[in-house]
Amino acid sequence: TDLGLMRKWSQLVVQHRRIVGMVWLVLFIAGAAAASQVTGRLSTQFDVPGAASYQANVDILRTYGNGAQGYPDVVVITAAPGHTVIEPSVRTGIAQSVAAVSALGRFRVASYANTGDSRFISRDAQSEVVLIFLPAYSEADAPPFGPEIVKAMEPALPFGAHLYLTGLGELIAGGTTHAGADVGALTETVLGGLGALVVLAVVFGSLLAFVPLLIAAVAIVTALLVVFGMTEITSVSFIAEYLIGLIGLGVSIDYSLLMVTRWREERANGRTLDDAIHAAMATAGRSVLFSGVIVAIGLLALMLVPVPFVRSLGYAGLLIPLVSVAATLTLLPVLLRTIGPRMEWPRLRTARGIGHWWTVWARGVVRHRVLGATGALIILFLLGINALALQVGEPRADALANSGGATEGLRALERAGFPLGILSPVEVLLPDGAATRIASLEDSGAGVYTSVAPSGLAWHRGGTAVIDVLPTDESSTTAGTVALASIRRSLLTADNAAEIGGPALTLVDESSAFYGNFPLVLLLVGLTTFLLLTRVFRSPILALKAVVLNVISIGATYGVVVLVWQEGHGSQLFWGIPATGSIVNWGPLMIFAFLFGLSMDYEVFILTRIREEHDRTGSTTEAIVHGIGRTGRLVTSAALILCLAFISLSASPQTDLKIVATGLAAGIVLDATVVRALLVPALISLLGDWNWWLPNWMASALRIPAPPNGRMTPDAQSGSAATP
């Protein structure tokens, strides 16, 4: 059986503890050395090969060396008080300023000076906008060309005029660099670790609080060592560094917490040191093994997405639960065997097998199970209904940053009355002679502010021309999404030889790639998890309930994200960021992949203990009460640690990481409270003996051993859940 195999494994590990300890010491040293170098080897690209806009962007960059999927920098020039930008003397100075940046040769510039388009000038003629298309740069960095642009343009400006620099690239970066992101990942992991230490100190009341942190440190640096090796053969997104650090911290501590708590419980029951370790491994260790596999299965959702950077997050993220399981099931028994008893000092808390208040809570839920289940479902429904309004895309410009020069430039752009859709143009590459036929789309009804096709080598090369279509509405809005589809349709109708790219359409095609086969991914992940959980719980009813509740819980989490970020009920209060209007397009996918597995951890922790208690007592009610009583404090502490880790991630300056971190933290809290502490025990109580039903053919197919009492089907004599 599983228990016997885990006990044999435990005996093998303890018997060869010196070898095991040396192996992990070598991995830790090598991982620590690799961790300092891995950042520079991580990819910052978000390309979507095969997407309709991808080849257009590649061809534009190859021919012109700028623009394509990168956001342009946007310069807003305001005339001195009492003057306008169309006065001859002011006009001359601005034209010289634009000519100076054009002369640098690295940029493609669109302005009133080279288009004659009056839409580059505000209605009150106080301001003028200039679009500067940049060479390719790392999407994880702030565009590095801002100082060069300002230095070239400012000297030629007329007296009293003011220059503001903004753009979505500048706003997204918020003034940070990739090196700064590395420091941020490290800082956030340390902050999460300090919060975890406080929780563990309260749980254990002894130096044992440091043991889970040690396991987490070893697991994280070992995972980074493997990522370092992976970068030799494939690209790995820089986002993996955040995920490995913070999710590694959470799951490693969760698994260690479960194991150490069970070890202390077995010691308190009178077992010897070795017997306590073997008993903990056979029970809690089995739960850890299956939990890690289930977290890994959740990450299959990322690995099945046909986008390189998302796939890299899948297989890089896959490492951390597997490495955490390996460390928990090998290094942790060695530590408990060698230093465990000495780490019990000062023993401010005794090892309690069952929590009094959690037992009282569980009996109350069982007694009022209909009310409890109904209340929990209402909460999840009210939150989940908001998920129907979820819109993916780039957050609104004014939600990307709330301070700095780029924000001042955005405000200047808005004061001048220019539409924010111009921050994300549609770039069109086509044969040179065709440019004049489709360069004017303002009257097409497609949501176009203007379209430009300046003359000169910067816009016409190798028999091709680039035109830029500037939308009126931001792509994050419903109107903007409709406009982009209409612009693409109008351009292809006008000239089917046109290649259409640019950052806005890149996001549209990314979202299509992310979610095009998402229902199939969801079905595959759900089915695989169901089969595995049936094997773990020896019950298809419990397994199906776990999968369904997980999906409902994630839907409620999406609802929280919509309320807090998309609609702004909390983002302004806590982070000073207004409503984003949409959620970064990879956010919901990332939340699903990680939350599906992480929240299932608690289901496995609770239900394996309830299953164990039912096998011992034969009573569903007593199984619920004792199972929740023994795991409630543990699950609450584990959820708090994970929540603190994600809250520390929300301190990142990037709005997209704040959104994902908030979603993960909210999901963990909802799952550990409304779902696992209330809805799960209430539903198990309502289902009664049907929880333990297992058809013989399924038991045989999944090689599930018969339970100790030999019952595979509901037995009215086994104890009714209806009795509190």
Side-chain angles (χ1 to χ4, degrees), residues 57 88 114 122 141 167 193 226 233 266 353 434 490 553 557 625 652 661 666 709 715:
N57 290 332
N114 64 351
S122 63
D141 295 344
V226 180
I233 56 176
E266 297 296 340
S490 298
S553 177
T557 301
V625 171
S652 168
N709 56 27
D715 186 336

Side-chain angles (χ1 to χ4, degrees), residues 414-437:
E414 291 176 308
R415 285 196 302 270
F418 294 108
L420 297 186
I422 69 174
L423 296 170
S424 187
V426 175
E427 295 241 279
V428 189
L429 180 70
L430 65 172
D432 203 353
T436 56
R437 296 202 306 270

Side-chain angles (χ1 to χ4, degrees), residues 7 114 116 143 198 291 405 435 643 660 683 722:
R7 184 176 290 274
N114 64 351
V198 173
S291 293
C643 189
V660 172
L683 288 179

Side-chain angles (χ1 to χ4, degrees), residues 73 85 138 169 186 250 254 327 363 375 407 444 462 467 512 535 569 574:
D73 271 1
V85 295
S138 164
L186 176 61
D254 279 4
R363 289 196 183 277
T407 302
S444 68
I467 70 170
S512 177
R535 179 72 173 77
H569 303 299
F574 294 108

